[in-house]
Amino acid sequence: MAVTTTAPPAPTAAAASRRGGAVAVTAVLVLLIAALALADIAQGTSGVGAAEVWKALTGQADAADASVVVASRLPRMTAGILVGAALGMAGAALQAVSRNVIAAPDTLAVNAGSYLALGLAAATGVSLPLLASSGVAFVGGLAAAAVVLGVSGLGGGTVRLVLAGSALTLGLTSVTEGLLLLFPERTEGLYAWNQGSIAQNGFGGVLWLLPLAVAGLAGLLLVARRVDTLALGDDAARGLGVPVRATRVITVVLAALLSATAVTLAGPIGFVGLSAPALVRLLARRYGGFSRTRASVTRSALTGAALVLGSDVALRAVVPADVAVAVPTGVVTSLVGAVFLVVLATRGRDTGAAAPPDRLRIRSRTVFLTVTGTLVAVLIAVIIASVLLGDSKLLLGDVVNWAQGRAGRAVSFVLDTRVPRVLAALLAGAALALAGTLVQAVTRNPLAEPGVMGVSGGAALGAVILVTSAPGAGPAGLAAAAFAGAALAAALVFGLSARGGFRQNRLVLVGMGVATASAALISLFIVLTDPFNATKALTWLSGSTYGRTLPDLLPLAVVLAAGLAVAVARRTELDLISLDEDTPRLLGLGVPRARLGLLTLGVLLSAAAVAASGTIAFVGLVAPHAARALVGRRHVRVVPVAVLLGAALVGTADVVGRTVIAPAQLGAGLLTAVIGTPYFLWLLVRTRGGGR
Amino acid sequence: MRRLLLTVAAATAAALTLGACGTTQPAADEAKKSSGHLTLTDASGTKVELDGPAKKVVGTEWNVVEHLAALGVAPAGVADVKGYKSWDKAVPLKNEPKDIGTRGEPSMDTVAALAPDLIVATSDLPQAAVTQLRKIAPVLVLKSADSADPIGQMTRDLDLIAKATGTTERAGTLKKGFEAKLAEGRRKLEQAGRKGTKFAFADGYVQGSQVTIRPYTAGSLLGAVNEKLGLENPWTVKGDPAYGLGKTDVEGLTKLGDVEFAYIGSDDDKSATPFTGVLADNAVWKSLPFVKAGTVHRLPDGVWMFGGTGSMESYVDSVVAALTK
């Protein structure tokens, strides 16, 4: 793996002379934070500006202005520093202990775990004091980090960690979003809070949590020396008498504590934990002297504080004060962090080869026919169940009457609205599975998936922009907007990762960056255009078939039919391209052109699916993978099986989402994430050390 | 995996064949046509055809439900019945309507199963959902709110629902009652020397250590009612184009100056009542002139801030009571 930390350089004479540089950099950081802090306390919704702040600080201001400075500006500024520092420290510690530069509170799902824990507390209607809620957040975050690290294996490589983390984030966030939809009144503030904002109601929160952050920092400094030895490798560290496992556990617990502190205070402020240590490393390369854990933790803390304060100051400088209240700091840092992730991924020397093809047994024709037959039966069962089940249960005779146009009024109503939804779920599932199959074949990357690649995110962004700016847009317009967004995201992701032939690391990391950026932009759009209708956007993003009518499905049906035709016609090419780089070329196949064509088709399919049913994750990943496991890797067999699986999976998720909590409902995407996350994690565990 | 798939398929198929034949409803005969045909144009510009005044009506938003209940039409289906009962006590439901799910995503199945004569929805519902509801029954889409003319929008909505349900006479009474209530409130406030009082209404919610406050600007329904009462709206924050709601934080309140401050919370929802909760110890809050002067009023719960004449009348009463104490 290329993008992993390098071992700390041995101290040399040169290092000593560079220490002066390191001290200077630290001093500059402190000055920068001080300047940003001063700028931050002069900004806000009241009329208190720089002059009043000066008066307040020198004790000459009137009581009202002074109270604004003391109870609003100073706590906000302190919270910014505290949150940034805690996240920077946590990120640096996690990266050191996992020997992985992508480890951070976000990528380890710590934030998602805390969010779910707090969401559960909010949904049960329990009103917790601040310290207790940070305890709840800590437990949630720690559990999530434990799962991710357990599944991905420490030092198990960047991609595995990112995948496990983002999969768990997706699954946990889906559950939380389900709670938001189910308890909109109780969790109203939670959605806003989830965007992350450092604004504070007085010093109370900061003062409660400051000791925790200090304890975390002290703890990290204490174990720093042991963490340093871990960089030499587990065996070497053990040889030096360092308890490897205990050191790891302690460090992860401390990092989770720090992240939970930040999350309780300000909500999840995205990607500071990732970018701050990365920036410090860049500086270390130039000035040296930062690679020891003790130094990198403290400097990451300073850099994190500067990042958070800087984002807040920049936001308030750009937009009017009342708008800045509505735009969360976390959205700004997420955008910054996403750009960072992409740059990091494209700059890293990616020597990791593309994964070798799955080593799968050759399956006989009988196996293929049995599997296909069974899946067809399952799909028919799902269709029948979907049509019959719902808030009002129907029987087959009703459907027969309806089909013959002589059903009763109520039955016709129910079926007229239910059948398009069932079709939307089935078609979207099939299209996503086909898209996943194509993209995985073309990139020869078994983990490539429209959702993970940011393509679905781009499509959703395009669609959300159209929905919010032109509410009356028709299905064709929506599909076009989704495709424009998906095409843009795909061009970005594939363009940036094409160098070196879509290596796993780069593709997945760039994809994740784009997915994060599109999610942040969607949040921004909703906050700015329709701040009081978060439910509408959540509904759309949770992959819902709600409110679909037959005309909405036309673009999807057309694209799916075309896609299936192409996939069947090009089955041999797919087999060859997915094999390796050279074979197709030797056989005289125009590889780049074939790749581009098939990728475009994959993007079209994902976009059409998003336009018809919002973002549905994991199907594009799980269905082709399961299909290959069932019937081998020849595409003439994989394509039909994957498509059938995808349709059955989303169809099931849709009918479950419509029935379990009727008359309220959950989006199909939420349920596929809930079903897909464990499968995906299991897949990662199973392939651990399996030669990937 | 394969065996599992086979078993699932076989079991489901068996269950379905055994249990799923027959019908829940006999095949239909032709519906009878009644007289008294109505044609209405709703806020989306759609012509809505009704065979006669609607009797069995479903409402997807609480303001619509309040209009229906006030007009004496017991709604057959209401979104989030529990929430309505908690937030809108001014016009209580007289019947036990069927819960059709959430306000943002009412269940098509449940609405369809009710087989209503009319569905009253608002422009807050996604277009796709409205399109689908139109297949179930005639849908009257109301503009949810209009900050250019909030009271006018409310009464237009009331009138349209009244026309569709044949209760125009009752709507007239309601509007007259509301006008009278406004005039009476205005007179009482003038008598108490409260004409031109700066009156800021807001609500807010808390999460963690953060408080968000929503100012009701002059474009909100309550803001417009305040104006009719002869009160002045001191908010300088810009509201959204529909509801006239802004967003600010605690220090944004310092711009209000010396005003009367009022809010409505809910005892059922602790996070929606920050002003008596977390703000009580906040230095900025405590330094606000209206907090110091004790002119902060918690108006009684159960007045839906986006409701109809009933809620607004209760609101007028509570404002008059608060200011003439």
Side-chain angles (χ1 to χ4, degrees):
Chain A
M1 291 292 153
V3 202
T4 46
T5 40
T6 49
T12 58
S17 72
R18 287 153 103 194
R19 195 164 297 150
V23 172
V25 169
T26 312
V28 168
L29 271 177
V30 171
L31 282 177
L32 178 65
I33 293 174
L36 286 171
L38 286 177
D40 199 54
I41 54 176
Q43 295 171 318
T45 45
S46 67
V48 179
E52 288 80 6
V53 169
W54 176 249
K55 278 188 197 154
L57 293 178
T58 52
Q60 297 164 322
D62 64 69
D65 285 354
S67 74
V68 167
V69 173
V70 171
S72 172
R73 304 291 174 78
L74 285 176
R76 187 181 75 203
M77 183 267 285
T78 321
I81 293 179
L82 189 64
V83 165
L87 291 173
M89 284 189 267
L94 287 170
Q95 294 181 8
V97 84
S98 64
R99 289 188 222 119
N100 192 327
V101 294
I102 300 296
D106 318 84
T107 45
L108 289 183
V110 173
N111 288 343
S114 301
Y115 185 29
L116 175 58
L118 288 174
L120 281 173
T124 48
V126 185
S127 165
L128 291 171
L130 192 62
L131 210 56
S133 68
S134 90
V136 168
F138 171 61
V139 171
L142 189 62
V147 169
V148 172
L149 286 173
V151 165
S152 64
L154 285 159
T158 307
V159 171
R160 185 176 292 280
L161 185 87
V162 169
L163 284 176
S166 42
L168 194 63
T169 300
L170 206 63
L172 294 178
T173 314
S174 296
V175 176
T176 319
E177 274 168 13
L179 291 175
L180 295 191
L181 288 171
L182 287 179
F183 304 96
E185 281 84 19
R186 278 183 182 164
T187 54
E188 184 165 15
L190 200 62
Y191 177 73
W193 172 87
N194 180 44
Q195 312 299 311
S197 161
I198 59 172
Q200 295 297 311
N201 169 38
F203 258 116
V206 176
L207 289 181
W208 270 108
L209 295 172
L210 190 63
L212 284 182
V214 171
L217 175 64
L220 283 179
L221 292 180
L222 280 177
V223 296
R225 199 169 282 260
R226 287 184 181 179
V227 173
D228 280 337
T229 56
L230 289 189
L232 303 171
D234 287 3
D235 292 336
R238 232 171 253 127
L240 292 171
V242 170
V244 172
R245 179 181 286 269
T247 307
R248 286 221 166 97
V249 169
I250 289 171
T251 313
V252 171
V253 168
L254 286 172
L257 179 71
L258 285 167
S259 326
T261 312
V263 162
T264 334
L265 202 57
I269 302 279
F271 284 94
V272 174
L274 182 84
S275 337
L279 267 173
V280 168
R281 252 191 315 280
L282 281 181
L283 292 172
R285 218 169 285 158
R286 183 154 301 178
Y287 299 104
F290 288 90
S291 32
R292 293 299 176 104
T293 302
R294 202 170 277 182
S296 84
V297 163
T298 40
R299 270 139 206 169
S300 296
L302 292 176
T303 315
L307 272 176
V308 172
L309 270 187
S311 300
D312 199 50
V313 169
L315 175 68
R316 284 170 206 277
V318 172
V319 296
D322 288 324
V323 180
V325 170
V327 179
T329 323
V331 167
V332 183
T333 60
S334 281
L335 280 175
V336 173
V339 173
F340 221 91
L341 195 63
V342 171
V343 171
L344 214 66
T346 47
R347 280 173 52 111
R349 291 176 307 281
D350 195 340
T351 50
D358 308 340
R359 275 167 298 173
L360 298 163
R361 273 175 293 167
I362 310 283
R363 302 288 193 173
S364 69
R365 193 181 153 77
T366 331
V367 171
F368 168 63
L369 289 178
T370 324
V371 167
T372 316
T374 315
L375 277 174
V376 169
V378 168
L379 190 62
I380 290 172
V382 168
I383 294 173
I384 293 174
S386 310
V387 171
L388 297 188
L389 296 177
D391 298 357
S392 39
K393 316 272 179 290
L394 300 180
L395 296 173
L396 279 178
D398 295 319
V399 182
V400 173
N401 278 343
W402 177 73
Q404 293 169 346
R406 42 186 213 96
R409 204 160 100 124
V411 168
S412 315
F413 290 156
V414 170
L415 284 176
D416 283 347
T417 59
R418 197 183 281 168
V419 170
R421 297 190 65 169
V422 173
L423 281 176
L426 298 177
L427 290 177
L432 287 169
L434 183 57
T437 312
L438 295 178
V439 174
Q440 288 182 13
V442 170
T443 59
R444 272 186 280 118
N445 188 335
L447 302 172
E449 195 250 350
V452 176
M453 306 278 79
V455 174
S456 302
L461 179 60
V464 165
I465 290 177
L466 186 77
V467 166
T468 47
S469 57
L478 200 64
F483 179 67
L488 203 68
L492 207 62
V493 173
F494 293 118
L496 286 172
S497 56
R499 196 159 54 99
F502 307 114
R503 307 267 189 213
Q504 275 203 28
N505 286 5
R506 195 168 286 159
L507 186 63
V508 172
L509 294 182
V510 172
M512 192 189 156
V514 170
T516 307
S518 54
L521 285 173
I522 289 171
S523 292
L524 196 62
F525 235 86
I526 292 162
V527 164
L528 291 180
T529 57
D530 205 358
F532 303 112
N533 209 345
T535 316
K536 192 152 115 187
L538 277 178
T539 299
W540 164 252
L541 289 175
S542 66
S544 174
T545 55
Y546 183 76
R548 293 299 127 196
T549 51
L550 284 177
D552 296 328
L553 304 180
L554 199 61
L556 178 57
V558 171
V559 174
L560 180 62
L564 281 173
V566 172
V568 171
R570 297 294 168 94
R571 56 192 183 277
T572 335
E573 263 173 80
L574 277 170
D575 285 344
L576 290 174
I577 289 180
S578 66
L579 201 57
D580 62 30
E581 195 74 11
D582 303 321
T583 318
R585 207 162 287 161
L586 287 173
L587 292 171
L589 189 69
V591 177
R593 222 174 39 134
R595 266 192 174 160
L596 185 67
L598 291 169
L599 269 185
T600 312
L601 186 58
V603 171
L604 258 175
L605 283 164
S606 334
V610 167
S613 60
T615 49
I616 295 181
F618 282 117
V619 180
L621 182 98
V622 169
H625 200 278
R628 278 197 302 272
L630 283 170
V631 297
R633 36 178 296 109
R634 284 177 54 202
H635 280 87
V636 68
R637 291 177 180 179
V638 169
V639 167
V641 171
V643 166
L644 287 171
L645 268 174
L649 183 60
V650 180
T652 311
D654 183 55
V655 69
V656 172
R658 280 191 289 120
T659 44
V660 280
I661 54 156
Q665 44 204 322
L666 294 172
L670 291 183
L671 280 147
T672 56
V674 171
I675 302 171
T677 305
Y679 178 83
F680 186 65
L681 294 177
W682 172 76
L683 216 66
L684 280 173
V685 170
R686 214 182 52 139
T687 58
R688 186 162 63 187
R692 281 271 163 86
Chain B
M1 181 89 176
R2 245 179 320 131
R3 205 182 315 153
L4 182 73
L5 285 178
L6 271 173
T7 323
V8 169
T12 322
L16 287 171
T17 11
L18 287 177
C21 294
T23 63
T24 57
Q25 209 191 17
D29 40 337
E30 276 301 296
K32 297 173 281 285
K33 291 262 181 283
S34 63
S35 56
H37 191 84
L38 280 171
T39 307
L40 302 164
T41 308
D42 75 0
S44 66
T46 311
K47 289 239 181 304
V48 180
E49 307 271 341
L50 291 174
D51 291 339
K55 294 275 171 271
K56 204 171 180 189
V57 188
V58 166
T60 67
E61 258 298 337
W62 293 343
N63 57 351
V64 168
V65 174
E66 187 185 316
H67 288 318
L68 285 169
L71 289 169
V73 181
V78 168
D80 192 358
V81 176
K82 195 163 154 252
Y84 181 88
K85 285 180 177 168
S86 151
W87 281 98
D88 198 337
K89 292 175 183 144
V91 185
L93 294 165
K94 297 235 166 52
N95 60 333
E96 283 296 327
K98 178 116 178 116
D99 194 327
I100 60 164
T102 55
R103 287 187 285 154
E105 258 191 1
S107 161
M108 298 294 164
D109 269 21
T110 310
V111 175
L114 284 171
D117 309 330
L118 175 70
I119 300 164
V120 191
T122 71
S123 46
D124 281 345
L125 210 59
Q127 183 56 43
V130 174
T131 313
Q132 214 171 52
L133 284 173
R134 288 201 196 284
K135 298 216 163 122
I136 298 174
V139 180
L140 205 56
V141 178
L142 304 181
K143 194 167 178 185
S144 47
D146 181 5
S147 66
D149 179 17
I151 294 180
Q153 189 59 48
M154 177 189 81
T155 46
R156 276 194 295 279
D157 287 353
L158 180 69
D159 285 340
L160 200 56
I161 295 179
K163 251 185 225 157
T165 53
T167 50
T168 310
E169 205 175 312
R170 174 95 184 115
T173 320
L174 288 174
K175 283 190 290 184
K176 270 200 205 96
F178 176 56
E179 290 297 330
K181 181 64 88 179
L182 284 177
E184 182 202 335
R186 188 184 181 99
R187 190 170 42 78
K188 280 187 183 164
L189 288 175
E190 261 172 39
Q191 276 169 3
R194 287 297 200 162
K195 193 179 177 192
T197 298
K198 288 185 178 146
F199 189 80
F201 186 92
D203 64 1
Y205 38 92
V206 196
Q207 183 62 43
S209 52
Q210 293 166 10
V211 178
T212 308
I213 293 163
R214 289 200 302 190
Y216 284 57
T217 69
S220 67
L221 183 53
L222 292 188
V225 169
N226 290 341
E227 208 169 289
K228 292 268 180 203
L229 291 175
L231 301 169
E232 207 177 296
N233 198 324
W235 288 114
T236 49
V237 180
K238 201 171 155 291
D240 72 299
Y243 292 100
L245 293 175
K247 215 171 196 184
T248 191
D249 53 3
V250 184
E251 67 167 90
L253 297 178
T254 55
K255 284 194 180 157
L256 283 175
D258 205 358
V259 300
E260 301 278 336
F261 187 86
Y263 65 93
I264 292 175
S266 169
D267 278 335
D268 300 337
D269 185 356
K270 292 277 172 285
S271 72
T273 316
F275 305 106
T276 45
V278 292
L279 284 181
D281 296 326
N282 182 293
V284 180
W285 174 255
K286 284 193 288 191
S287 81
L288 293 168
F290 48 89
V291 177
K292 277 190 184 156
T295 51
V296 176
H297 312 282
R298 176 171 181 176
L299 306 182
D301 287 7
V303 173
W304 184 231
M305 288 83 94
F306 315 97
T309 51
S311 278
M312 290 308 114
E313 285 181 22
S314 298
Y315 173 74
V316 171
D317 284 340
S318 64
V319 170
V320 169
L323 291 184
T324 56
K325 241 188 309 205

